[in-house]
Amino acid sequence: MKFIPHTEKDIEEMLHEIGISSIDELFEDIPEEIKLKRDLNLPPPLNELELKNEIDEILSLNLKLKRIFLGGGAYFHFIPATVNYVLSRGEFYTSYTPYQPELSQGILQALFEFQSILSDLTHADVTNSSMYDGATSLVEAIFMAERIKKRGKVLVSRSLNPEYNEVLKTYLPPREITLDYIDFNENGEVPLEKLKEKVKEGYSSFVIQSPNYFGIIENLKEIGKILKESDTLFILTITEGISLGILKPPFDFGVDILAMEGQSFGIPLSFGGPYLGILQTKKEYIREIPGRIIGETKDRNGKRAYVMTLRAREQDIKRDKATSNICTNNSLNALAALVYLSTLGPSGFKKVAEINYKKAHYLAKRLIDEGFELKFKNLKFFNEFVLKLNIEPIRLKEKLSLVGIEGGIPLRYFGLDDSYLFTVTEMNSREDIELLVCALKEG
């Protein structure tokens, strides 16, 4: 528990510093008629020990589930102690607008290295210094494509994360950008022949997620060829960044813009955020990328220095010339991602990805051996897959909760009423997996 005391002397000094003599004077601009003139309706004060015991009692009511088989865009991964150690340093944790170059060389260097390590990972020419989250990064990617192609419509794969899809439905219509969709096939992936015909209708961009929402790894190589032939920009979104540990860098397949969620890189699950948006593109589109880009240079004495080299924001240039109204980035979470990836290193990162892949395929095989059926016969999935189950979602949740398991996202959004998405990460032991299999077998 944090304790920040304000003594009477502290308060007196602060009031003196701003030139007033009392707290009442501080709030004199508030009309008297709306001021509360009685004590708050609160129970009697507690001493520190009593307060701690009461909070512990309330927290004990929480159901603590450690066997998590949920994914779908937010993943349960191990976070090395180094991440929170570095993040908790005062110069990082408490800084506000931490980008004044003469004051914040350390933060600028961290963001520069964040950009560099992410570009190395995906083979992107350009990475900005982060955005809010994966979904809003995807929106900005589509806006970028519209500024480049100006065709007023985007084609989206139906296997996109449904929450991302809802964000697109919120952001795009006011900008008069039409959304169109292409369904997944019986293997759970985009049908290439159908895509080839569809893109002839003249879209600014095609959006696809890989691994897609069903965990399936799409054929990015062939998709890249189709989009290049049709002069359609290739926007890829990734929600599970750990997959990059074993998959080929996406820009090798002709991706034009990459919008990714970085939560898997050292950021905990926490009711949906704050997470980390990663936006990358090719060098030829650098003038269209929103947010900030940090660059390395030398000062007049020849010493290495870091500066903002590009920030086409409303705050800095004419509104009609701005690429976005994005005013900030997620510096602290970008730092978390940098420390996470640096701690693991290339070999450690690859090993985590391999563990995720192998454990997920192990669970799928165990379930198939026990007579269960995967929705899609395609086994090109990373760390999550779709399982057919004839059970109501509430019943499945109740049954798994009895053995401390949280898992199985119902897929009714996609019209797959008999299907659930299961995810396996390095956090799931073999015992967890066997317990899940047993629980499902009991029906």
Side-chain angles (χ1 to χ4, degrees):
M1 187 187 304
K2 304 295 183 186
F3 181 61
I4 304 174
H6 282 160
T7 65
E8 290 297 327
K9 186 171 181 297
D10 292 335
I11 294 172
E12 187 179 327
E13 287 177 355
M14 286 189 283
L15 293 175
H16 177 74
E17 186 66 26
I18 60 177
I20 57 177
S21 59
S22 68
I23 295 292
D24 287 340
E25 193 177 347
L26 181 64
F27 295 115
E28 67 179 4
D29 290 339
I30 300 174
E32 285 297 319
E33 60 270 24
I34 65 170
K35 285 183 179 176
L36 186 66
K37 296 183 177 62
R38 60 169 175 78
D39 291 336
L40 293 172
N41 184 21
L42 294 173
L46 304 175
N47 64 38
E48 185 174 352
L49 178 60
E50 291 170 336
L51 180 61
K52 183 177 183 306
N53 289 338
E54 182 164 328
I55 291 175
D56 287 344
E57 189 174 338
I58 294 171
L59 290 175
S60 70
L61 299 176
N62 285 331
L63 183 62
K64 295 179 181 177
L65 297 173
K66 292 185 177 179
R67 302 183 181 98
I68 298 175
F69 289 86
L70 289 174
Y75 299 93
F76 184 39
H77 288 296
F78 177 73
I79 300 176
T82 49
V83 175
N84 284 332
Y85 173 77
V86 175
L87 256 60
S88 63
R89 290 182 62 93
E91 60 268 45
F92 292 126
Y93 204 74
T94 63
S95 55
Y96 177 67
T97 58
Y99 46 79
Q100 304 305 328
E102 68 277 18
L103 298 174
S104 305
Q105 281 294 293
I107 287 179
L108 290 175
Q109 180 178 353
L111 292 175
F112 176 81
E113 292 182 0
F114 163 81
Q115 295 169 182
S116 302
I117 201 168
L118 265 298
S119 290
D120 283 347
L121 199 58
T122 62
H123 288 185
D125 293 334
V126 180
T127 302
N128 77 4
S129 61
S130 79
M131 308 195 76
Y132 294 139
D133 58 24
T136 49
S137 291
L138 178 57
V139 169
E140 294 292 347
I142 294 171
F143 288 168
M144 281 181 65
E146 279 303 315
R147 287 193 292 272
I148 296 166
K149 294 295 183 182
K150 298 180 175 59
R151 292 172 185 163
K153 57 181 182 178
V154 55
L155 181 65
V156 179
S157 170
R158 283 277 184 200
S159 57
L160 178 70
N161 185 312
E163 292 175 346
Y164 285 37
N165 196 24
E166 293 302 311
V167 173
L168 297 190
K169 289 177 182 177
T170 302
Y171 273 75
L172 300 191
R175 298 284 286 263
E176 298 183 343
I177 300 173
T178 303
L179 268 166
D180 198 2
Y181 294 93
I182 182 168
D183 278 326
F184 50 87
N185 63 16
E186 66 279 5
N187 291 322
E189 58 189 347
V190 66
L192 296 178
E193 288 302 319
K194 191 172 179 180
L195 176 65
K196 193 179 294 184
E197 290 301 313
K198 192 73 178 169
V199 291
K200 292 178 182 175
E201 297 176 20
Y203 298 94
S204 290
S205 58
F206 171 59
V207 173
I208 190 166
Q209 177 182 330
S210 182
N212 65 27
Y213 193 71
F214 309 130
I216 293 170
I217 301 163
E218 299 276 2
N219 189 341
L220 299 184
K221 184 178 179 181
E222 292 302 317
I223 292 170
K225 290 179 183 175
I226 291 170
L227 297 180
K228 187 173 182 181
E229 290 172 1
S230 65
D231 191 30
T232 306
L233 290 178
F234 185 174
I235 298 178
L236 174 68
T237 189
I238 298 175
T239 62
E240 174 51 298
I242 298 295
S243 63
L244 292 169
I246 57 172
L247 299 181
K248 287 186 177 179
F251 279 87
D252 290 0
F253 299 118
V255 168
D256 293 296
I257 309 169
L258 174 59
M260 184 162 66
E261 172 54 60
Q263 179 267 323
S264 290
F265 301 154
I267 299 167
L269 296 169
S270 52
F271 298 98
Y275 284 169
L276 173 66
I278 297 166
L279 190 60
Q280 303 180 311
T281 190
K282 294 177 176 176
K283 190 174 182 180
E284 62 197 274
Y285 304 131
I286 189 170
R287 290 286 174 185
E288 300 298 336
I289 197 167
R292 306 169 173 133
I293 294 176
I294 311 301
E296 185 186 55
T297 185
K298 291 182 179 178
D299 66 12
R300 66 175 64 179
N301 299 316
K303 293 181 179 178
R304 185 173 60 178
Y306 297 92
V307 294
M308 282 196 183
T309 54
L310 189 67
R311 50 179 191 182
R313 307 177 300 154
E314 286 184 346
Q315 287 179 321
D316 304 308
I317 62 174
K318 291 180 181 177
R319 172 170 287 188
D320 59 341
K321 300 291 184 184
T323 53
S324 170
N325 63 1
I326 292 289
C327 294
T328 188
N329 65 317
N330 270 359
S331 295
L332 199 66
N333 282 352
L335 180 65
L338 173 63
V339 178
Y340 176 87
L341 292 169
S342 302
T343 300
L344 266 62
S347 60
F349 186 56
K350 180 181 178 184
K351 187 167 185 178
V352 171
E354 288 174 343
I355 292 170
N356 276 248
Y357 177 88
K358 289 177 180 176
K359 284 192 171 184
H361 281 258
Y362 174 77
L363 173 59
K365 185 174 185 309
R366 284 285 294 112
L367 290 167
I368 292 170
D369 291 345
E370 295 292 344
F372 291 95
E373 187 179 353
L374 301 191
K375 180 65 180 179
F376 305 113
K377 306 307 174 192
N378 187 343
L379 294 180
K380 293 185 299 181
F381 60 84
F382 178 58
N383 66 354
E384 46 197 339
F385 59 87
V386 179
L387 186 68
K388 291 178 70 172
L389 288 174
N390 287 317
I391 185 171
E392 284 295 310
I394 187 66
R395 175 76 186 107
L396 177 66
K397 182 177 178 61
E398 291 172 350
K399 187 169 68 166
L400 295 182
S401 294
L402 293 175
V403 290
I405 290 177
E406 186 76 30
I409 299 175
L411 297 177
R412 288 182 171 174
Y413 183 92
F414 299 95
L416 306 176
D417 293 350
D418 63 345
S419 300
Y420 293 83
L421 183 69
F422 282 88
T423 305
V424 190
T425 73
E426 73 278 10
M427 302 297 278
N428 301 115
S429 66
R430 178 166 291 202
E431 290 74 20
D432 295 342
I433 291 173
E434 293 302 328
L435 191 61
L436 173 62
V437 174
C438 288
L440 293 175
K441 276 173 61 181
E442 289 176 1

